[in-house]
Amino acid sequence: MLQYALQHQKAIDTITQHRELGLRSFEMSDNKWCIVEQLQDVLKILKDAMLFFSRATPNLATVIPVMDLIDQTLATHTLNNKLLPSIHAAAGLAKKTLNRYYQFTDSSDVYRITMILHPRHKLSYFERANWGEDWIETALSLVRDKYSHSYSTSNNTEGETDEMVNLFENKSSSMVSHLFYSSTLTDPLL
């Protein structure tokens, strides 16, 4: 909607300036148009995420990297000195809201297991996302423990368990499809 308004700014200004139409209360100042333009740039990441997820059913292996990307983008906007203070505040509130829900993934065993077992992510996802070594080791231990408890049989040897763990540690490819676009890029969060 913001993009449409910006594309038709001249027509909107012309219509709202006519007194006989009774739309003067909707007339926008140059400052308000600047806010609309900057807000559109900040919200673009959310629009891209919505379009991305509308193409297929989301799963943890796709949702978590998108949440990381949204968080990183909002953080960048909160530090951008070229943006108006109102946009800084809006980006900060959006980041705070996102993180209120995102923090629950830290306590989820399923989240960690999913990311480690996913062929594209594995442990390198956490390394590229700058998670601490302790956190990465905890996630790996969780997968090892879950495997040993639920899937390991008494016939397995120690070597077989080590071989299984080595699969988690294999690095995923650094050349991946960008989250929202079809071109091949190197993205540090994927």
Side-chain angles (χ1 to χ4, degrees):
M1 186 63 140
L2 295 176
Q3 182 180 9
Y4 183 85
L6 285 170
Q7 289 173 347
H8 298 89
Q9 180 179 348
K10 187 173 180 179
I12 292 169
D13 282 340
T14 301
I15 290 172
T16 56
Q17 289 173 0
H18 289 290
R19 288 184 191 195
E20 62 275 359
L21 295 176
L23 300 174
R24 293 291 305 242
S25 63
F26 299 110
E27 187 175 8
M28 293 185 41
S29 66
D30 289 341
N31 186 46
K32 287 181 182 177
W33 281 115
C34 182
I35 290 171
V36 168
E37 185 175 352
Q38 289 183 7
L39 190 58
Q40 174 200 291
D41 293 341
V42 170
L43 295 177
K44 183 179 184 325
I45 187 71
L46 299 177
K47 176 185 173 189
D48 290 345
M50 181 190 67
L51 293 172
F52 174 72
F53 287 125
S54 69
R55 288 186 249 144
T57 304
N59 59 51
L60 274 178
T62 58
V63 170
I64 298 301
V66 169
M67 288 179 71
D68 284 341
L69 184 60
I70 291 170
D71 184 65
Q72 179 186 26
T73 302
L74 291 173
T76 301
H77 287 308
T78 61
L79 300 174
N80 186 344
N81 292 331
K82 295 178 182 177
L83 297 176
L84 296 168
S86 58
I87 302 300
H88 283 272
L93 288 171
K95 183 175 175 13
K96 184 178 178 181
T97 301
L98 174 73
N99 286 331
R100 181 176 34 196
Y101 296 103
Y102 191 31
Q103 71 182 346
F104 294 118
T105 63
D106 289 343
S107 59
S108 169
D109 293 348
V110 173
Y111 157 63
R112 297 179 216 191
I113 292 169
T114 299
M115 298 308 285
I116 290 173
L117 293 180
H118 193 278
R120 182 166 138 198
H121 299 305
K122 301 189 182 200
L123 287 177
S124 61
Y125 169 81
F126 299 114
E127 294 165 1
R128 287 190 308 267
N130 295 319
W131 290 101
E133 285 299 320
D134 290 344
W135 199 95
I136 294 171
E137 188 55 42
T138 301
L140 183 57
S141 294
L142 175 72
V143 173
R144 285 181 181 147
D145 293 345
K146 191 60 151 174
Y147 176 81
S148 295
H149 180 265
S150 300
Y151 301 102
S152 179
T153 63
S154 59
N155 296 336
N156 280 353
T157 64
E158 185 67 28
E160 289 174 334
T161 302
D162 289 342
E163 185 178 313
M164 179 271 307
V165 170
N166 287 337
L167 291 174
F168 305 145
E169 295 173 342
N170 287 341
K171 303 291 184 198
S172 60
S173 172
S174 62
M175 293 301 287
V176 295
S177 291
H178 189 274
L179 284 173
F180 304 134
Y181 309 105
S182 62
S183 61
T184 302
L185 301 170
T186 303
D187 192 323
L189 286 178
L190 298 179

